[in-house]
């Protein structure tokens, strides 16, 4: 027997929302999904009229839905925003090169200018080459660090006022779990922030309009809206630490559907003792981009690759310093031997 749409529109329901449990027809689901994102934008004051906003576009479901919804809301509610697309090409054969075709489709569909920056262009390395050097155990560390800085570099080149990323509720809940398990108090404090960075701190802000949107609903929205997105997982992702947090979260969600929002709200309320040493965010002395250490993690990792010490930035800083000192000692000894030969 057909179930009536809970909104009272008179149509039959076609789904039960994972987030609220409401039975809705397709049109009411679209409206509810979009309205919730609009309410988040308004309540958190993510944008101001006249701003130029870069949407971090990977071609996946999250960024594709974000681009579509931002385009819809910008017109519906007259935000007055200039929307552009910013993509990062990590240089992963068979993955990123294909997903960028989807981003190009988004550019054409929504009429948004697109800028693509590559790791090769920015750092002189591709992820394929990095993985060949480091192996598959720490490759996500390189990709994550380089990608975050690449977005900052791209945002500065495009002269935007802020960057909107497609992080959804599942992503943020997973990050809370990861940071708790790693005891990373610095990231734990800011991973639930819907807006990070500020112009006052000389950094381009990043915002997460999909912070309270469930991954399942994002997939359903993309599917029933017939949006074109790239769904293949990164070839280097199966060994990622995040995968274990994701599996744990999915098991929790089966037992308690509200677990995702519960974890996010818990993360928002967490307070770190005043006696705990907190890293101070500043600017890297080498590259000039935001960092909580000197030099920044991206510069350390890049130095390791260029020195032939790919594990230089992995682990404690003191370990990396010993590696550099040992290499320099070996180079001096080699130079001394060559000098004696003559």
């Amino acid at each position: 027997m057909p179930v009536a749409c809970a909104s009272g529109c008179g149509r039959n329901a076609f789904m039960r929302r994972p987030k609220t449990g409401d039975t809705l027809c397709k049109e009411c689901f679209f409206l509810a999904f979009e309205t919730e994102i609009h309410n988040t934008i308004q309540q958190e004051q993510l944008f101001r009229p006249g701003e130029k906003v870069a949407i971090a576009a990977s071609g996946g479901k999250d960024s594709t839905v974000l681009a579509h919804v931002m385009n819809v809301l910008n017109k519906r509610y007259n935000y007055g925003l200039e929307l552009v697309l910013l993509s990062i090409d990590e240089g992963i054969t068979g993955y990123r090169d294909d997903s960028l075709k989807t981003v190009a489709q988004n550019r054409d569909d929504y009429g948004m200018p697109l800028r693509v920056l590559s790791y090769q262009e920015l750092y002189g390395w591709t992820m394929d080459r990095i993985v060949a050097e480091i192996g598959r155990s720490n490759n996500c560390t390189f990709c994550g660090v380089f990608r975050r800085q690449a977005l900052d570099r791209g945002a500065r080149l495009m002269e935007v006022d802020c960057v909107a990323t497609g992080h959804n509720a599942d992503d943020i809940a997973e990050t809370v779990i990861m940071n708790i398990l790693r005891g990373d108090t610095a990231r734990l404090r800011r991973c639930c922030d819907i807006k990070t960075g500020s112009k006052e701190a000389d950094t381009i802000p990043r915002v997460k309009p999909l912070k309270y949107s469930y991954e399942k609903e994002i997939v359903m929205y993309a599917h029933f809206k017939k949006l074109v997105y790239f769904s293949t997982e990164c070839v280097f992702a199966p060994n990622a630490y995040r995968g274990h947090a994701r599996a744990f979260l999915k098991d929790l969600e089966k037992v308690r559907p509200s677990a995702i929002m519960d974890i996010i709200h818990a993360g928002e309320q967490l307070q770190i003792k005043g006696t705990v040493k907190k890293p101070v965010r500043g600017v890297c002395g080498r590259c000039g981009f935001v960092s909580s250490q000197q030099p920044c993690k991206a510069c350390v990792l890049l130095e390791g690759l260029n020195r032939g010490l790919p594990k230089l930035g992995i682990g404690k800083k003191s370990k990396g310093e010993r590696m550099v000192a040992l290499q320099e000692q070996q180079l001096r000894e080699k130079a001394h031997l060559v000098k004696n030969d003559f």
Side-chain angles (χ1 to χ4, degrees):
M1 180 178 177
V3 178
C5 176
S7 69
C9 67
R11 292 183 288 262
N12 291 332
F14 91 109
M15 64 164 289
R16 183 182 295 276
R17 287 192 68 184
K19 184 177 181 178
T20 63
D22 295 336
T23 52
L24 297 176
C25 67
K26 191 180 296 185
E27 289 74 14
C28 288
F29 166 65
F30 292 154
L31 182 60
F33 182 84
E34 293 163 0
T35 302
E36 286 181 1
I37 296 173
H38 168 66
N39 291 338
T40 298
I41 291 172
Q42 293 298 99
Q43 291 167 9
E44 300 293 341
Q45 299 179 345
L46 299 185
F47 310 112
R48 288 180 293 187
E51 286 189 328
K52 184 177 182 180
V53 179
I55 297 172
S58 66
K61 63 184 185 310
D62 300 316
S63 64
T64 298
V65 168
L66 178 61
H68 176 83
V69 172
M70 285 298 299
N71 188 53
V72 169
L73 298 181
N74 192 35
K75 295 175 181 176
R76 181 184 298 168
Y77 297 103
N78 194 26
Y79 288 167
L81 302 176
E82 180 186 352
L83 301 176
V84 298
L85 299 174
L86 172 60
S87 291
I88 306 301
D89 180 4
E90 301 93 341
I92 303 175
T93 304
Y95 172 68
R96 185 57 71 210
D97 46 356
D98 291 335
S99 70
L100 286 176
K101 297 176 184 176
T102 304
V103 176
Q105 182 69 49
N106 292 338
R107 174 200 61 199
D108 298 337
D109 291 342
Y110 309 130
M112 297 180 188
L114 168 65
R115 178 70 182 266
V116 179
L117 290 177
S118 69
Y119 281 8
Q120 179 64 46
E121 175 185 352
L122 296 174
Y123 308 114
W125 289 79
T126 64
M127 276 308 300
D128 285 343
R129 285 182 59 208
I130 292 172
V131 172
E133 291 287 328
I134 193 70
R136 296 204 174 197
S137 58
N138 297 111
N139 54 282
C140 288
T141 298
F142 283 83
C143 194
V145 171
F146 286 164
R147 183 177 175 78
R148 283 190 290 273
Q149 191 187 91
L151 284 174
D152 286 338
R153 289 174 179 264
R156 187 174 291 183
L157 288 172
M158 297 184 79
E159 299 181 330
V160 301
D161 295 294
C162 75
V163 177
T165 63
H167 292 92
N168 60 48
D170 297 56
D171 295 330
I172 295 170
E174 290 164 10
T175 304
V176 171
I177 293 171
M178 291 168 62
N179 289 332
I180 289 174
L181 294 177
R182 290 189 297 211
D184 193 335
T185 56
R187 288 191 177 92
L188 185 57
R189 286 173 59 247
R190 64 175 183 264
C191 69
C192 288
D193 292 343
I194 196 168
K195 188 171 187 176
T196 57
S198 65
K199 293 180 181 178
E200 291 75 17
D202 198 29
T203 59
I204 296 175
R206 293 191 196 181
V207 297
K208 306 168 187 171
L210 303 183
K211 176 182 176 181
Y212 298 113
S213 302
Y214 276 29
E215 184 177 53
K216 288 180 180 177
E217 296 195 355
I218 290 172
V219 172
M220 294 172 74
Y221 184 89
H223 175 73
F224 290 109
K225 279 285 187 179
K226 293 182 171 55
L227 302 182
V228 177
Y229 66 91
F230 187 74
S231 58
T232 302
E233 185 181 45
C234 174
V235 294
F236 301 135
N239 297 321
Y241 183 52
R242 179 175 289 274
H244 301 293
R246 180 177 295 121
F248 176 63
L249 184 63
K250 295 304 180 189
D251 289 339
L252 281 179
E253 192 181 7
K254 291 174 185 175
V255 179
R256 183 181 175 87
S258 64
I260 293 173
M261 293 306 298
D262 292 342
I263 292 172
I264 291 175
H265 291 320
E268 291 171 336
Q269 300 301 317
L270 282 174
Q271 293 184 348
I272 310 300
K273 283 185 178 181
T275 55
V276 176
K277 185 178 180 181
K278 304 178 183 68
V280 178
R281 304 194 80 182
V283 175
C284 175
R286 292 188 186 178
C287 64
F289 287 91
V290 64
S291 174
S292 57
Q293 67 178 53
Q294 292 292 343
C296 71
K297 190 72 169 179
C299 286
V300 173
L301 291 174
L302 186 60
E303 180 186 2
L305 290 170
N306 292 333
R307 278 178 171 268
L309 299 172
K311 294 188 178 181
L312 179 63
I314 306 299
K316 294 183 177 180
K317 185 177 179 181
S318 57
K319 180 182 176 183
E321 290 173 347
R322 289 196 299 270
M323 292 173 66
V324 171
L326 177 60
Q327 186 188 55
E328 290 178 347
Q329 180 183 350
Q330 291 173 341
L331 289 174
R332 285 194 298 270
E333 292 175 352
K334 187 177 293 186
H336 181 68
L337 290 174
V338 171
K339 181 178 179 180
N340 289 341
D341 287 342
F342 288 95

